[in-house]
Structure formats: C-alpha cells, structure tokens
Amino acid sequence: MSDSPDERSEAAADAADAADAADTATTDTTEAVDATDATDVDVEDVDHVASLARVDLEEAERERFPEQFAEILEYFETLDEVPEHDREPELVNVMRPDEVREGLTQSEALRNASETEDGYFRGPRVS
C-alpha cells in the first residue's frame, strides 16, 4: 500500500469512530432497544463501511447490502440473548503413561537408509 500517513491516520480515526459508535450502541444492555431501530441500515451506512474496508461496490450491491447488513445485525441481537456461563473447564490428561520398551538397534534403524556413513544417516551437503 502506498497510503500517506495522513490517509492512514484518517482511516484509523474513521475505524475508531465506528468502533466507538458500536460500543456506545451495546454499552447499556438493560435498556429495551426496538429491533427495527437497531437494524436500520441505509445505503450511506453501506458506503461508509465499504470506504473503511476500501471496497468498491456496484450500484446493485449498494442497494442489496442494507437488507443483508440488517439481517446480520439481527443475528448479533439473537446472540446477545444467549446466557453466559462462567465455569472452569475440566482438565483431563489425554496422554498415555510412558512405558519403557526396547528400541531399534543401530543396524535396524539404518536398514532402509539410502546412504549411511560410519553408522549414521548420510544426508545432502548443506553449504
């Protein structure tokens, strides 16, 4: 990217403003929020999100996306209704216990090696 520092800081400020707006909208969960108000998305909102994401939209997409964004926001509202549970996960040891067993001899280990040298595997030279 060849954005100037001013363009990057402006984009960062826009993103921070959007995050602040989202935080403000979700801060007070005790207030009843009308579902139609929370999911009203217009073409300007779509254009703003597209500019933050630096995505060029065609006119047909600009007209279709407000409805899709509203559906996505409704899904988030549904997720907000899911109760939270604070509990410790149960830790279970899934590893088998170590058992000492007889291993391969040196000659057995080198049996299928394509090249060996002085009882060791021989690999390609690295330089």
Side-chain angles (χ1 to χ4, degrees), residues 8-83:
R8 286 188 295 233
S9 63
E10 183 178 358
D14 287 344
D17 290 343
D20 289 342
D23 287 343
T24 303
T26 59
T27 299
D28 192 2
T29 57
T30 59
E31 288 184 24
V33 177
D34 185 9
T36 58
D37 292 340
T39 58
D40 283 346
V41 179
D42 55 14
V43 176
E44 289 80 25
D45 294 329
V46 171
D47 290 338
H48 180 70
V49 171
S51 70
L52 291 175
R54 297 182 181 164
V55 175
D56 294 327
L57 298 177
E58 296 177 8
E59 188 62 33
E61 294 172 320
R62 291 179 69 233
E63 298 299 322
R64 188 176 64 229
F65 283 169
E67 182 180 327
Q68 293 176 347
F69 281 177
E71 290 176 11
I72 292 169
L73 292 175
E74 287 177 18
Y75 289 128
F76 278 107
E77 289 176 2
T78 303
L79 288 174
D80 286 339
E81 296 171 9
V82 175

Side-chain angles (χ1 to χ4, degrees), residues 90-97:
E90 295 181 22
L91 299 178
V92 178
N93 185 2
V94 295
M95 306 296 285
R96 63 172 170 74

Side-chain angles (χ1 to χ4, degrees), residues 123-127:
R125 207 174 241 298
V126 179
S127 55

